[in-house]
Amino acid sequence: MRNGVSYEMTPMPKASLPAPVYPEAKSDANLSVRKSIVDLTSEEKAAFINALKKVKNTIPQGSKLSIFDKLVLQHVMVAGFEKPFKSKGPAAGYNPAHPGHPAFLPWHRQLLDDLENALQKVDPSVTIPYWDWTDPKALDVMLSNDFMGGNGEGVTVDIPGVGTFKGGPVKSGPFADWTVNEDIHIEPINFTSLGPKIIRFLRIPPFDKYPMPKEVIDRMMNLDDYEIFSLVLEGGGTGLDENSKIIEDWAVHVVSHAMIGGVVLKDYDKTALPTNQARNLGTMMSILSSPYDPTFWLTHSNVDRLWAQWQDNGHTGEKFYPTKRMDYGYNLKDPIWPWDGGKSTPGNLNDTDLVAMLPKTNRIITAADLLDFRKLGYTYDTTRLRSEKALLKPKS
């Protein structure tokens, strides 16, 4: 995609399947529980929104960016490790989070955990809920005016032979006043600014079909190789057909981005693939800056939930993750930027010095530190274990 960053097909891994390992924890009784958005009470929705806005508007002393903006910037700057940019250190040339690399899942697990920890400093009861793409009710619940707000407004896109569609800056719901940093809110083809407001173009074809068929998720969950599972869950060029054969496709996780952000294809008679992409429309489809749209965190909570369920279904343990044969940052014990103790520095994507805005940290985190989600202090309502002690008191 010109000088930008696109998803790409990755050579199929040839890892042998290790013996199944099941969860060792006996109880989830003391863990925070991430819930489906359809099961949130009005009070839980309000608590999540209030904590998120507090984190968005809290600027630490000596910083130019809020806590939330720094997390978004880290997601943007993973692209600075792509080969066209002047990155430095052992991670130079190796994007730690995209596209199609095995660190995709642990990288985003840590990003979610960093946000959730920040939210819980505001309100200890808050967790990051998830958007189950197969739940027919979930999209309307997510886009309601008491939660994430609806479609953008004020812009019309005419796609010849396809139709006319509306979108633009979000002007409804709790995030209508959500102002973003224009230097960080950029599209990933020419790295130009998308402006000071989050932008949505909901359900632009071919990403207009909802809910996602449950069979798509079931086929993915039946995979046993971690690297293939990660590729298909990311969906940035790799999917499964009805016979569970690997095909070129935009699938699963990327579909949720496209359904909210919107994308225009070059040729609608061909399969939707990164190489067939003509224009990104909204924030969620401008993958680098997508965390600026709060729906990002709900979709990635679901990504993490599916990985957690896959792990609990016989794929727990370090043997399921590549150890030595991958590029730097993709092996089990490699430090993952930005949690690599300052060893690596990305290159700037455009004329703005975004590198200078990055937070400084001495933290060192590897994939091995992130495989057991329960050790991070949370679980999901779909990954709760049968505990030795009842999680809930029986009703009288």
Side-chain angles (χ1 to χ4, degrees):
M1 291 170 56
R2 286 173 272 179
N3 294 323
V5 177
S6 68
Y7 286 82
E8 58 191 23
M9 285 292 287
T10 303
M12 288 299 100
K14 299 179 180 179
S16 59
L17 181 65
V21 181
Y22 290 88
E24 297 179 359
K26 296 180 179 180
S27 173
D28 287 339
N30 297 318
L31 301 181
S32 298
V33 180
R34 296 178 182 172
K35 298 169 59 177
S36 168
I37 58 177
V38 301
D39 294 324
L40 296 178
T41 65
S42 57
E43 291 79 13
E44 288 171 329
K45 289 180 183 178
F48 177 73
I49 292 166
N50 291 337
L52 192 59
K53 286 192 168 187
K54 182 70 173 179
V55 172
K56 174 68 176 72
N57 294 320
T58 299
I59 300 176
Q61 187 175 3
S63 175
K64 295 182 179 179
L65 298 178
S66 71
I67 296 170
F68 184 84
D69 284 9
K70 287 182 178 182
L71 296 176
V72 177
L73 180 59
Q74 288 174 340
H75 193 271
V76 170
M77 293 308 292
V78 294
F81 286 102
E82 296 286 346
K83 288 182 170 61
F85 306 105
K86 297 179 180 179
S87 54
K88 300 176 182 178
Y94 305 117
N95 184 324
H98 304 101
H101 302 313
F104 168 75
L105 292 175
W107 196 97
H108 285 86
R109 177 169 282 180
Q110 183 59 51
L111 192 72
L112 283 166
D113 192 55
D114 283 349
L115 176 64
E116 190 164 83
N117 288 335
L119 296 174
Q120 290 177 346
K121 288 180 180 178
V122 178
D123 184 341
S125 72
V126 170
T127 58
I128 302 175
Y130 63 88
W131 168 25
D132 181 353
W133 312 311
T134 67
D135 189 327
K137 299 178 182 178
L139 185 61
D140 287 340
V141 169
M142 183 174 72
L143 299 174
S144 62
N145 280 335
D146 70 337
F147 200 32
M148 296 289 106
N151 196 15
E153 302 175 29
V155 180
T156 299
V157 175
D158 181 33
I159 305 175
V162 180
T164 300
F165 306 93
K166 297 185 181 298
V170 173
K171 298 180 180 179
S172 63
F175 300 99
D177 61 349
W178 190 258
T179 300
V180 303
N181 186 308
E182 294 185 58
D183 290 330
I184 300 171
H185 190 213
I186 54 178
E187 56 84 27
I189 297 178
N190 296 312
F191 305 109
T192 55
S193 178
L194 291 170
K197 298 291 182 180
I198 57 174
I199 299 170
R200 291 180 188 157
F201 283 83
L202 300 181
R203 302 179 74 169
I204 305 292
F207 301 106
D208 55 335
K209 300 173 183 64
Y210 188 84
M212 188 178 295
K214 191 173 182 296
E215 310 85 74
V216 171
I217 302 300
D218 290 342
R219 286 193 290 267
M220 179 187 72
M221 298 299 280
N222 285 330
L223 295 168
D224 285 316
D225 185 288
Y226 168 81
E227 292 171 60
I228 299 177
F229 172 80
S230 178
L231 282 172
V232 173
L233 178 49
E234 184 180 1
T238 305
L240 297 175
D241 67 11
E242 293 180 355
N243 298 313
S244 297
K245 300 296 184 183
I246 294 173
I247 58 173
E248 287 188 309
D249 197 13
W250 268 359
V252 196
H253 146 261
V254 169
V255 169
S256 67
H257 277 265
M259 191 175 295
I260 303 299
V263 61
V264 177
L265 302 182
K266 297 174 184 176
D267 188 342
Y268 281 81
D269 291 328
K270 296 182 179 179
T271 303
L273 284 169
T275 52
N276 192 16
Q277 181 180 10
R279 180 186 172 195
N280 292 314
L281 297 174
T283 303
M284 267 288 274
M285 198 53 203
S286 295
I287 298 294
L288 303 180
S289 299
S290 56
Y292 258 143
D293 189 328
T295 62
F296 167 93
W297 303 93
L298 311 184
T299 204
H300 271 276
S301 186
N302 195 51
V303 169
D304 188 69
R305 178 184 71 97
L306 293 171
W307 182 28
Q309 286 187 208
W310 185 82
Q311 290 180 302
D312 274 3
N313 190 29
H315 305 102
T316 301
E318 294 185 352
K319 291 182 179 180
F320 284 89
Y321 199 89
T323 54
K324 297 179 180 179
R325 56 190 172 78
M326 306 297 290
D327 293 323
Y328 182 85
Y330 308 154
N331 296 296
L332 180 69
K333 298 295 178 68
D334 289 350
I336 304 175
W337 185 90
W339 312 284
D340 69 343
K343 294 179 181 178
S344 302
T345 305
N348 280 309
L349 307 178
N350 52 30
D351 293 336
T352 303
D353 190 2
L354 296 178
V355 171
M357 299 183 190
L358 285 166
K360 307 296 182 184
T361 177
N362 292 320
R363 297 166 72 191
I364 296 179
I365 298 175
T366 69
D369 299 320
L370 300 168
L371 296 184
D372 189 343
F373 59 95
R374 291 180 176 88
K375 285 186 177 179
L376 298 178
Y378 70 90
T379 188
Y380 291 91
D381 54 8
T382 58
T383 56
R384 281 185 168 181
L385 298 170
R386 292 181 179 178
S387 61
E388 292 178 346
K389 296 181 180 179
L391 295 176
L392 298 173
K393 294 181 180 179
K395 293 181 179 180
S396 60

